[in-house]
Amino acid sequence: DDGAPAADSWSRPSCDRFPLRGPTYLADGVKVPSAPALYDTEDAYVAFTARGAVRSATDAYPEILAKLRSADAVPAAAPPGFPRFLVVAVNAPLDAPSLGGRRTDGRCVVVVFACRLNAAAAASGSAGAALARQWIAEAPGDIATSGRLKGVFFAEGDGVPRLVQKWNGKPVLMADKGRPRPGISAFSRGDDYLEFNIDVGLSFSYMARGAIYLVQDKLVAMDCVIGFTIEGKAEDELPEQMLGAVSINRVDWRARLEDADAGAARVGGGR
């Protein structure tokens, strides 16, 4: 990319900025930059709701899949086990967190990124591709497999609080406590797509919810990078590889609150 991305836009971050478990990680703990993502982000959306998290973005905002499909009139052949499209939805609460319990009916921002399969990466024979194919097949029906999803986040720009800075680039399992650690994602699946959906307000700790609340007023000056990978736990599952990633750049979230429940607003820019 030439220079900084424009405000109120999305962009596709280079996956070599994500440090993931390398091929020798189990022996030496060394992380390496990710190979190209298995799914390329094609569009990004931001929506608001005053009635709690959206459990399925593909149901709530059907235009997201419709746009992906319309731009893919002659689809490339997909390697077995990989749907053509991946839709990722992250619901984050906008109300202050409470130590007394978790609200499930408050105001939320919903960030959705819609991705198309990178057929070359999926067919590369990499350990990361094989692990992702297994996760796609099993995670919707198995909470232990679902719990191997990891998020990697960066917040960049002016005024990023220290509480948030310390988590930059550190992978976070999308799983709850317990053994095996149960996944927190909700899934929707169709003939040509898989959606995984994360509800921060329901599943994240008080500290994490508090950190998100603290940065709300600063988001207009920040770029928020969101990416996901699958946890590699054995030698034949390494190195890890990004599933997909997006950067949401200096969006004026507060100004958009007037349009709560109006639908998913496409974020400008791209790539």
Side-chain angles (χ1 to χ4, degrees):
D1 293 349
D2 297 327
D8 201 35
S9 73
W10 72 271
S11 55
R12 188 188 295 166
S14 174
C15 282
D16 62 10
R17 70 173 300 172
F18 292 94
L20 303 182
R21 294 181 177 184
T24 58
Y25 177 85
L26 298 179
D28 56 24
V30 171
K31 294 186 176 182
V32 300
S34 175
L38 295 162
Y39 284 85
D40 294 327
T41 300
E42 294 294 326
D43 233 332
Y45 300 79
V46 174
F48 293 91
T49 169
R51 301 187 299 272
V54 169
R55 299 306 293 166
S56 170
T58 45
D59 286 344
Y61 314 118
E63 65 271 22
I64 293 175
L65 271 177
K67 188 170 186 296
L68 276 176
R69 290 166 175 155
S70 68
D72 201 33
V74 185
F82 288 95
R84 285 166 56 199
F85 307 120
L86 178 71
V87 177
V88 181
V90 180
N91 297 267
L94 292 170
D95 299 319
S98 170
L99 283 171
R102 300 174 189 242
R103 287 190 61 185
T104 59
D105 60 350
R107 300 177 307 153
C108 283
V109 57
V110 189
V111 178
V112 185
F113 57 106
C115 310
R116 179 177 285 104
L117 180 68
N118 179 339
S124 67
S126 68
L131 180 59
R133 182 171 57 244
Q134 178 186 352
W135 185 85
I136 287 168
E138 299 178 6
D142 182 82
I143 58 173
T145 302
S146 169
R148 296 179 69 176
L149 180 70
K150 293 195 296 189
V152 187
F153 310 100
F154 295 89
E156 301 170 330
D158 297 332
V160 179
R162 289 185 180 180
L163 179 63
V164 177
Q165 289 179 15
K166 74 175 187 177
W167 290 104
N168 271 353
K170 293 185 178 180
V172 179
L173 277 173
M174 299 293 103
D176 209 342
K177 295 178 181 178
R179 290 189 178 276
R181 296 193 66 177
I184 62 174
S185 301
F187 293 90
S188 302
R189 191 197 288 275
D191 291 340
D192 60 354
Y193 77 92
L194 176 71
E195 174 191 340
F196 65 85
N197 186 306
I198 294 166
D199 183 351
V200 171
L202 182 65
S203 304
F204 278 37
S205 69
Y206 173 81
M207 288 292 290
R209 289 179 283 131
I212 292 170
Y213 181 75
L214 286 175
V215 303
Q216 285 183 33
D217 289 331
K218 299 178 174 65
L219 288 172
V220 69
M222 289 169 49
D223 298 340
C224 299
V225 181
I226 306 168
F228 292 92
T229 187
I230 310 302
E231 181 188 31
K233 299 193 291 187
E235 286 187 8
D236 63 354
E237 296 176 341
L238 298 172
E240 296 173 336
Q241 188 168 354
M242 294 302 294
L243 267 179
V246 71
S247 179
I248 304 293
N249 308 311
R250 284 160 284 144
V251 171
D252 190 350
W253 311 80
R254 293 285 189 187
R256 294 178 180 227
L257 284 175
E258 298 176 0
D259 298 323
D261 294 315
R266 181 178 177 273
V267 180
R271 297 178 179 65

